């Protein structure tokens, strides 16, 4: 049983859009052909008003924090936000599980087909094992720049990693939290643990001015943050460079690296990272950036450097919803020069490539099973309007 699905315009993403295309899919959602609509009997077609696109890829989420929606104030800056998460995240297991299920359904309804998800606990694993979405689980480690704490960090989180779903489309990796929270010793141990197979390594990057201030001058809010929690930074020496350069010193250029947030990342930083490795991707979470820091990255830097940008939602602790479309609309609202075709590629194929899921996801190509999403609400110029919406067809 085949379905012949078409719309006003079809965006395969891996090739040019067409106003005369039909996507022919098998019962399991696998694409059998993409052909000219005009060559088919109109009565055999399933026609939709709008544009047809592949399912979205959410490359950065903290699904396990879904129960904290609305609990943290907006506009506080990253350090107060982190403090609130650390001190408020503990809830009864059943409350956390229910929130995770609701959040996963929200992503499904919003046309998301795969998620790069940060895990510090096993809370999301039951939901992931159901196979409703394809997950890349990033088991995140940190030792607060304390080399002596690296062994404990590894022993604490290895059981989480071992329990994380893998196979059946899912994948997983051990990853560093951020340059400001991972010692050189822990970076080395993470790299050694991931050696021997191709993985994606996610790392939070340049989300707040205090992060660069720590590495440039050894000053700023993170010094006070660590002092408040009784963590000694006396052995830390500033590098005199923005924080991303510390990460580049300690990451593996042979692995796919996904830098997340990049709110303060400059064109020079992007070029340096892309010279370091051909396997670099960048995840932007604009609504979370606005929620926490009241700022956005300068997307011109990423366009000018041909950077492979992807889109994430972050968590419901730092966002109003888990919707890739809403992230696209935010970019279109505040930095309107970004073309719709670029936004769509960031939301689909680039994300699939960043997670290593482009074998089946990210574009409308024969043999793939990417999901089909109907997008409505483009304006007369072909840009996303505030009223744009999605409906998942497959």
């Amino acid at each position: 049983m085949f379905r012949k699905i078409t719309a006003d315009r079809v965006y395969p993403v891996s090739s040019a859009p067409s106003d005369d295309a039909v996507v022919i899919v098998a019962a399991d959602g696998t694409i059998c052909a993409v052909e000219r609509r005009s060559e088919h009997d109109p009565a055999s077609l399933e026609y939709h008003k709008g544009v047809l696109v592949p399912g979205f890829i959410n490359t950065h989420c903290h699904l396990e924090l879904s129960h904290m929606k609305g609990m943290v104030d907006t506009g506080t800056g990253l350090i107060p936000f982190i403090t609130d998460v650390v001190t408020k995240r503990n809830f009864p297991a059943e409350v956390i599980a229910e929130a995770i299920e609701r959040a996963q359904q929200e992503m499904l309804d919003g046309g998301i087909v795969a998620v790069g998800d940060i895990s510090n606990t096993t809370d999301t694993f039951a939901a992931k094992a159901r196979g409703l979405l394809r997950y890349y689980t990033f088991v995140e480690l940190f030792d607060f720049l304390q080399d002596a704490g690296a062994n404990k960090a590894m022993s604490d989180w290895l059981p989480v990693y071992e329990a994380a779903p893998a196979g059946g489309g899912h994948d997983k990796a051990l990853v560093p939290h951020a340059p400001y929270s991972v010692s050189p010793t822990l970076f080395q141990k993470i790299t050694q643990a991931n050696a021997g197979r191709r993985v994606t390594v996610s790392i939070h990057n340049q989300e707040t001015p205090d992060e660069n201030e720590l590495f440039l001058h050894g000053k700023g809010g993170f010094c006070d943050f660590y002092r408040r929690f009784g963590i000694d930074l006396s052995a830390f020496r500033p590098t005199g460079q923005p924080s991303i350069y510390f990460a580049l010193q300690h990451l593996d250029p042979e692995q796919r690296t996904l830098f997340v947030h990049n709110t303060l990342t400059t064109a020079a930083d992007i070029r340096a990272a892309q010279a370091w490795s051909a396997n670099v991707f960048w995840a932007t979470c604009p609504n979370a950036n606005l929620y926490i820091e009241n700022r956005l990255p300068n997307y011109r830097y990423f366009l000018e450097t041909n950077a492979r940008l992807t889109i994430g939602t972050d968590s419901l602790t730092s966002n109003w919803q888990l919707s890739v479309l809403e992230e696209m609309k935010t970019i279109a609202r505040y930095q309107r020069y970004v073309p719709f075709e670029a936004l769509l590629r960031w939301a689909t194929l680039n994300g699939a490539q960043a997670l290593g899921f482009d074998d089946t996801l990210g574009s409308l190509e024969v043999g793939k099973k990417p999901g089909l999403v109907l997008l409505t609400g483009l304006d007369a110029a072909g840009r996303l309007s505030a009223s744009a919406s999605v409906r998942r067809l497959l």
Side-chain angles (χ1 to χ4, degrees):
M1 183 68 178
F2 296 94
R3 293 171 66 185
K4 297 180 179 181
I5 304 175
T6 187
D8 297 328
R9 174 165 285 193
V10 175
Y11 283 87
V13 180
S14 57
S15 58
S18 173
D19 296 338
D20 181 30
V22 57
V23 182
I24 303 173
V25 296
D28 68 350
T30 301
I31 295 178
C32 303
V34 180
E35 298 179 350
R36 292 173 62 90
R37 182 174 65 211
S38 54
E39 296 175 351
H40 290 262
D41 178 0
S44 70
L45 302 178
E46 182 181 323
Y47 180 80
H48 299 275
K49 295 291 293 180
V51 299
L52 199 62
V53 301
F56 297 137
I57 315 296
N58 178 0
T59 56
H60 183 73
C61 189
H62 295 254
L63 189 59
E64 67 189 13
L65 298 179
S66 298
H67 62 289
M68 294 186 66
K69 184 175 183 178
M71 289 184 56
V72 177
D73 288 337
T74 61
T76 63
L78 182 64
I79 293 175
F81 174 84
I82 294 173
T83 303
D84 279 342
V85 171
V86 170
T87 57
K88 296 179 179 179
R89 67 179 293 167
N90 294 326
F91 269 69
E94 62 272 16
V95 173
I96 294 173
E98 289 171 4
I100 288 167
E101 291 291 345
R102 289 194 301 271
Q104 179 172 251
Q105 188 61 51
E106 179 182 343
M107 289 193 285
L108 283 162
D109 294 342
I112 292 171
V113 295
V115 184
D117 187 57
I118 302 292
S119 290
N120 302 119
T121 70
T122 62
D123 291 342
T124 60
F125 295 175
K128 290 174 179 177
R130 292 168 56 202
L132 299 178
L133 291 165
R134 191 173 178 183
Y135 283 97
Y136 205 118
T137 297
F138 300 116
V139 178
E140 190 178 68
L141 281 69
F142 47 86
D143 61 1
F144 303 112
L145 291 173
Q146 306 297 301
D147 287 280
N151 284 332
K152 185 178 187 303
M154 288 295 294
S155 63
D156 284 349
W157 277 291
L158 271 177
V160 178
Y161 173 79
E162 290 166 355
H170 300 311
D171 208 341
K172 60 184 178 181
L174 291 166
V175 302
H177 168 252
Y180 59 79
S181 60
V182 177
S183 71
T185 300
L186 185 54
F187 266 113
Q188 183 180 35
K189 288 182 178 296
I190 292 169
T191 297
Q192 290 170 346
N194 288 326
R197 68 185 191 94
R198 186 76 184 277
V199 302
T200 299
V201 174
S202 165
I203 182 169
H204 295 78
N205 179 61
Q206 294 176 303
E207 193 175 355
T208 180
D210 286 305
E211 180 176 337
N212 279 338
E213 185 68 11
L214 176 67
F215 284 90
L216 286 167
H217 307 296
K219 299 178 180 179
F222 276 112
C223 295
D224 295 333
F225 173 79
Y226 284 148
R227 190 179 304 113
R228 192 179 316 137
F229 285 94
I231 298 168
D232 182 15
L233 283 188
S234 60
F236 174 78
R237 297 292 179 269
T239 62
Q241 293 180 297
S243 61
I244 191 172
Y245 295 87
F246 178 78
L248 295 179
Q249 286 182 311
H250 298 292
L251 292 165
D252 182 355
E254 297 304 313
Q255 303 287 18
R256 293 182 297 266
T257 303
L258 180 62
F259 292 102
V260 178
H261 290 301
N262 315 300
T263 321
L264 300 172
T265 303
T266 67
D269 297 335
I270 297 167
R271 292 190 185 98
Q274 294 180 167
W276 165 78
S277 172
N279 303 310
V280 168
F281 295 85
W282 310 85
T284 184
C285 307
N287 283 321
N289 298 155
L290 292 173
Y291 193 109
I292 299 171
E293 289 272 337
N294 281 327
R295 69 176 76 223
L296 290 172
N298 187 331
Y299 294 108
R300 288 193 189 278
Y301 297 151
F302 297 90
L303 292 172
E304 292 167 357
T305 55
N306 295 315
R308 287 178 292 185
L309 210 63
T310 72
I311 292 179
T313 63
D314 217 332
S315 75
L316 285 174
T317 316
S318 58
N319 206 333
W320 298 270
Q321 67 279 307
L322 300 182
S323 166
V324 168
L325 175 61
E326 289 302 319
E327 304 299 323
M328 296 167 69
K329 287 162 70 172
T330 293
I331 297 171
R333 183 181 305 123
Y334 291 103
Q335 299 193 30
R336 196 174 176 185
Y337 57 84
V338 180
F340 170 71
E341 288 79 4
L343 290 174
L344 182 59
R345 188 178 182 95
W346 298 354
T348 56
L349 187 55
N350 282 8
Q353 291 171 341
L355 300 182
F357 288 172
D358 53 313
D359 56 338
T360 62
L361 304 179
S363 58
L364 303 182
E365 297 181 72
V366 173
K368 288 192 175 186
K369 192 177 176 180
L372 287 177
V373 170
L374 182 69
L375 176 60
T376 58
L378 297 184
D379 65 19
R383 294 183 296 242
L384 279 173
S385 69
S387 62
S389 62
V390 294
R391 179 159 64 93
R392 186 170 181 165
L393 302 177
L394 284 176

